């Protein structure tokens, strides 16, 4: 059951921002980071997701990202992703910001997704920044350490690692949208990683109504105006239907 208050707030809003995290892709079969059996249950972030770890052992890090990339390519968008794609059409301004690198939002039909943590399908040179051609997939798949065609340095996944800044353009766009938003939904994120976790708080300070959708209260739950407990793949389609019905009722 979706809260009447949220339906009313979203019905009245023209500017909405949704922040997603790994939880929205859990129902597509992709592991989250901090749930039991999540990535950080099996590995330490400092062994895999930072530049020092990569330079020390590029084969290990490239291998881990390769396994994740394969999982992402065989995963399909789920009803939660699709509901967000459809929700976009109901508002004058709808901003979808994700911490996910899996591109499942785009594959479910969402365009103009702001990717705060990069994209696991692309690579670039760690030194000169040159985008790597698709051929590096095959090199990494065969266990080789891929290197830049131009300068010969290591090729890395185009994701944000611990200790690195987020892409400026993406962060600025997300920040500005947060200050304009009337409603923010934070979906499937633990709310532990900043600056992404700041976005609902920035929006709240600017007057937005903020709500979260999660199977358990996140670290941001006490700041939320509303906490909806349940799977994103159940709650988001129900919210979409409720909003569409409300808009239809208004027109008749
Ligand atoms: P986490 O693994 O920290 O959190 C996933 C959240 O999703 C948890 O709060 C779960 O309760 C929730 N969840 C799980 N299944 C769900 C479902 N079906 N429906 C709704 N919620 C569900 O993942 P993130 O918050 O995305 O950064 O993690 C943030 C960042 O930390 C990641 O982008 C990654 C990681 O280190 C980098 O790699 C830079």
């Amino acid at each position: 059951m979706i809260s009447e208050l949220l339906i009313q707030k979203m019905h009245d809003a023209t500017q909405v921002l949704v922040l997603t995290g790994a939880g929205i892709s859990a129902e597509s079969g992709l592991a989250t980071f901090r749930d039991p059996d999540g990535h950080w249950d099996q590995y330490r972030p400092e062994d895999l997701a930072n530049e020092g770890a990569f330079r020390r052992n590029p084969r290990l890090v490239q291998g881990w990202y390769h396994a994740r990339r394969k999982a992402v390519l065989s995963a399909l968008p789920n009803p939660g992703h699709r509901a967000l794609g459809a929700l976009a059409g109901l508002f004058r301004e709808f901003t979808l910001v994700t911490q996910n690198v899996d591109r499942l939002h785009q594959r479910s039909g969402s365009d103009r997704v702001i990717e705060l943590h990069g994209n696991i399908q692309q690579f670039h040179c760690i030194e000169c920044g040159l985008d790597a051609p698709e051929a590096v997939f095959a090199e990494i798949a065969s266990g080789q350490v891929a290197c830049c065609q131009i300068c010969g340095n290591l090729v890395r996944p185009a994701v944000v690692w611990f200790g690195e800044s987020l892409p400026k353009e993406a962060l600025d766009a997300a920040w500005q949208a947060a200050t304009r938003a009337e409603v923010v939904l934070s979906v499937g994120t633990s709310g532990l990683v900043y600056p992404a976790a700041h976005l609902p708080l920035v929006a709240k300070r600017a007057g937005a109504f903020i709500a979260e959708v999660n199977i358990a209260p996140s670290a941001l739950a006490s700041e939320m105006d509303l906490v909806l407990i349940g799977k994103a793949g159940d709650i988001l389609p129900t919210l979409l239907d409720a909003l569409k019905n409300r808009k239809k009722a208004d027109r008749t």
Side-chain angles (χ1 to χ4, degrees):
M1 188 63 181
I2 302 291
S3 134
E4 182 53 35
L5 178 61
L6 179 61
I7 295 168
Q8 192 59 47
K9 291 280 181 191
M10 291 189 80
H11 176 261
D12 294 344
T14 57
Q15 309 190 67
V16 168
L17 180 141
V18 178
L19 170 69
T20 63
I24 194 165
S25 297
E27 292 160 73
S28 295
L30 297 178
T32 65
F33 292 91
R34 295 173 182 82
D35 290 311
D37 291 333
H39 295 299
W40 300 154
D41 202 33
Q42 300 174 50
Y43 307 101
R44 296 184 316 160
E46 54 273 34
D47 289 339
L48 291 166
N50 65 66
E51 189 179 323
F54 181 61
R55 288 187 185 275
R56 275 193 303 280
N57 194 342
R59 203 181 300 275
L60 172 81
V61 175
Q62 283 188 345
W64 183 67
Y65 278 98
H66 179 64
R68 285 183 59 200
R69 194 172 306 117
K70 276 205 315 196
V72 160
L73 287 175
S74 57
L76 293 173
N78 66 54
H81 296 109
R82 287 196 289 276
L84 291 181
L87 209 54
L90 303 185
F91 304 98
R92 183 162 59 76
E93 182 182 329
F94 182 86
T95 307
L96 179 54
V97 183
T98 190
Q99 298 164 88
N100 299 342
V101 295
D102 58 28
R103 291 257 151 145
L104 288 179
H105 286 305
Q106 289 89 337
R107 283 171 57 198
S108 74
S110 291
D111 54 2
R112 292 183 292 117
V113 180
I114 298 179
E115 293 176 313
L116 290 180
H117 292 168
N119 162 16
I120 203 169
Q121 304 301 345
Q122 287 170 346
F123 303 83
H124 58 249
C125 174
I126 198 164
E127 294 298 341
C128 74
L130 186 80
D131 288 338
E134 270 196 38
V136 299
F137 278 93
E139 284 176 48
I140 294 170
S142 68
Q144 295 172 57
V145 172
C147 292
C148 178
Q149 286 180 325
I150 303 296
C151 69
N153 281 294
L154 291 167
V155 161
R156 58 164 287 175
V159 298
V160 174
W161 280 331
F162 287 97
E164 294 180 335
S165 303
L166 272 55
K168 186 177 174 343
E169 205 179 310
L171 187 59
D172 285 352
W175 215 264
Q176 283 164 22
T179 59
R180 290 193 300 270
E182 295 151 81
V183 176
V184 169
L185 286 184
S186 177
V187 180
T189 176
S190 55
L192 287 167
V193 175
Y194 289 81
H198 271 310
L199 290 171
L201 308 177
V202 164
K204 187 177 183 180
R205 245 178 273 132
F209 179 86
I210 66 171
E212 78 173 14
V213 175
N214 202 307
I215 53 170
S218 78
L220 298 175
S222 62
E223 300 285 345
M224 293 287 160
D225 295 307
L226 184 71
V227 174
L228 294 170
I229 296 294
K231 291 182 174 178
D234 293 334
I235 291 180
L236 295 175
T238 311
L239 174 62
L240 173 68
D241 285 346
L243 266 169
K244 280 184 176 165
N245 288 339
R246 177 63 63 85
K247 287 190 186 283
K248 199 154 68 184
D250 267 10
R251 286 196 297 270
T252 53

